[in-house]
Amino acid sequence: MRREPNFEVMRTVAMFFIVVYHCLTHGVGDGYGFSVHNPVSLSNILFSDFLLVFSSIAVNLYVMVSGYFLVDLSFKAIRIVRTWTYACFYSVVITLFLMSMRLVPFSIVALGKSFFPISTDAYWFVTQYIGLLILSPFLALLVKQLTYKQYLWLLIGGAFMCLAIIPDFPLGKRFHVAHGNSVWSFAYLFLVAGFIKHYLKKVSMSWLLAAILFVTLLTMGCEVFFGYHDDSVSLFWFNYNGLPFILSVLVFIMIRQMQMSESGLWKVLVKLAPYSFGVYLIHDQLMVRGWLWSHVSITSFCDQWIYPFVVIGLCVLIFLSCAFVDSIRKRLFTMLGIDKLIAKTDRWSLHL
């Protein structure tokens, strides 16, 4: 699959905001109330609210990047095998490491489950993503057969079944995709990305920026409104297929057509992209998640001016540390010939 800098940057940024999302959900949590009478606390909730808006679109962006490329590619079993292998590797190795270091109690049941991270849904994203990879050649085949008008009506119909912009509307909740983290939501994002690739021409950047600003402010306002109670504001979580869906599509289109520099920060983000999946597998492994956020107290900084720096600094540290570990894993796999072994699964591929 040919790599394009814009989408590599999007993958890296999306994964960083996934780390931010987990920092807010697990490190701060929606139960902590930021006081509206304390200027520092109020500014921190607005900062958290802003981060929450953009971290809520991260999963959608990551899936749409995959759909954008897979919509024109034939099925290759290596994609499924590689995803499963990486998830299983980290699940088992991290479990063994934490138990051996006595950071978590030894459990033969937990150790056994670590060998089956997909079927046990230990990584919910990986489970649903593998489902998307299985469906991808058939979705791609469907796209090839559809006319523009048919494709457009498919997206409109799919919106009623997969989206839940506001509670109970359209019908996302009734089709059990209310949070937007099901394989059917991923399939819809796949189709949206395919439509953008095949039919959407260049959109005015000024219009995109205005639309992004409007949806961002609308989402932030709704989060503050729904999170307000008893003179405090708690973090309020929107479904991935709610307002964040609209924002994710707008941001995806904007980054797709941006003219990016080949140096500086963009170059660093492109180089980090191959390790972005490893960042997720490491920092959100069930035992790591439990250990990490029980030992890192974000709430103790929520009423202090240093809070924004703690959140961003911690997330950067987590991201870079996990990327470094995954770079070691990559060298190990190359040295042991595991990547070559995985590549042999291409012989099982279907040519659709």
Side-chain angles (χ1 to χ4, degrees):
M1 186 186 301
R2 185 170 64 90
R3 301 295 185 185
E4 296 184 20
N6 291 45
F7 294 97
E8 294 297 274
V9 168
M10 200 182 311
R11 286 172 61 203
T12 303
V13 173
M15 186 53 65
F16 174 75
F17 274 103
I18 287 174
V19 175
V20 172
Y21 187 83
H22 292 153
C23 179
L24 295 176
T25 55
H26 306 308
V28 178
D30 57 359
Y32 187 88
F34 293 79
S35 173
V36 296
H37 298 298
N38 183 331
V40 174
S41 183
L42 182 59
S43 65
N44 286 342
I45 184 58
L46 293 177
F47 171 78
S48 299
D49 194 17
F50 177 78
L51 287 184
L52 183 58
V53 169
F54 283 95
S55 60
S56 295
I57 73 173
V59 169
N60 288 350
L61 288 178
Y62 207 87
V63 174
M64 289 177 71
V65 170
S66 297
Y68 188 87
F69 291 100
L70 291 175
V71 72
D72 291 324
L73 298 177
S74 59
F75 175 80
K76 287 185 178 295
I78 186 175
R79 297 185 189 113
I80 297 175
V81 175
R82 182 190 293 124
T83 303
W84 177 88
T85 302
Y86 292 176
C88 190
F89 172 81
Y90 277 120
S91 178
V92 174
V93 169
I94 290 175
T95 299
L96 286 172
F97 174 78
L98 292 178
M99 288 182 178
S100 65
M101 296 297 292
R102 297 185 179 180
L103 296 175
V104 298
F106 177 80
S107 169
I108 191 66
V109 174
L111 181 59
K113 285 184 176 180
S114 70
F115 285 88
F116 304 95
I118 310 304
S119 57
T120 59
D121 210 24
Y123 295 110
W124 75 263
F125 175 84
V126 179
T127 301
Q128 305 306 316
Y129 186 72
I130 285 182
L132 177 64
L133 292 178
I134 294 171
L135 291 175
S136 64
F138 306 102
L139 293 172
L141 186 62
L142 173 64
V143 168
K144 290 178 184 177
Q145 304 302 317
L146 294 175
T147 63
Y148 170 82
K149 188 175 182 180
Q150 290 171 333
Y151 202 163
L152 185 60
W153 278 110
L154 174 62
L155 293 183
I156 293 173
F160 278 91
M161 293 187 290
C162 295
L163 302 184
I165 303 301
I166 60 176
D168 296 322
F169 182 84
L171 299 173
K173 184 176 180 180
R174 302 306 166 197
F175 285 92
H176 304 289
V177 292
H179 194 57
N181 57 355
S182 72
V183 67
W184 308 117
S185 295
F186 283 16
Y188 185 69
L189 290 168
F190 179 104
L191 294 172
V192 170
F195 185 86
I196 292 172
K197 182 176 186 179
H198 287 179
Y199 296 110
L200 191 67
K201 305 299 182 181
K202 188 173 182 179
V203 181
S204 167
M205 288 296 283
S206 60
W207 184 90
L208 278 173
L209 289 172
I212 289 172
L213 177 61
F214 173 76
V215 178
T216 299
L217 293 176
L218 176 62
T219 309
M220 288 181 65
C222 291
E223 287 173 346
V224 171
F225 176 79
F226 288 115
Y228 179 80
H229 57 84
D230 298 330
D231 294 327
S232 67
V233 181
S234 298
L235 297 178
F236 177 85
W237 317 104
F238 265 108
N239 295 337
Y240 299 149
N241 59 343
L243 286 173
F245 167 79
I246 299 174
L247 186 59
S248 62
V249 173
L250 293 171
V251 171
F252 182 88
I253 295 171
M254 183 188 70
I255 297 180
R256 174 204 182 202
Q257 62 188 44
M258 283 177 63
Q259 298 295 322
M260 293 191 174
S261 171
E262 297 265 333
S263 60
L265 177 61
W266 298 120
K267 189 174 182 179
V268 173
L269 294 176
V270 169
K271 288 187 175 182
L272 286 172
Y275 310 114
S276 59
F277 188 54
V279 171
Y280 166 71
L281 294 175
I282 297 169
H283 91 277
D284 206 41
Q285 197 266 359
L286 289 178
M287 290 185 175
V288 172
R289 181 201 303 173
W291 181 86
L292 175 63
W293 301 116
S294 65
H295 286 76
V296 178
S297 177
I298 302 296
T299 54
S300 62
F301 296 97
C302 285
D303 296 324
Q304 301 179 31
W305 64 269
I306 201 174
Y307 170 78
F309 301 98
V310 171
V311 172
I312 296 300
L314 176 62
C315 292
V316 169
L317 178 62
I318 291 173
F319 186 96
L320 293 179
S321 298
C322 293
F324 175 72
V325 172
D326 195 55
S327 69
I328 296 175
R329 189 274 314 155
K330 185 177 181 180
R331 294 190 186 94
L332 180 64
F333 273 34
T334 300
M335 184 174 61
L336 297 178
I338 297 177
D339 286 330
K340 290 183 179 179
L341 186 62
I342 294 174
K344 292 182 179 180
T345 58
D346 268 350
R347 68 183 65 175
W348 306 330
S349 297
L350 303 174
H351 299 285
L352 300 177

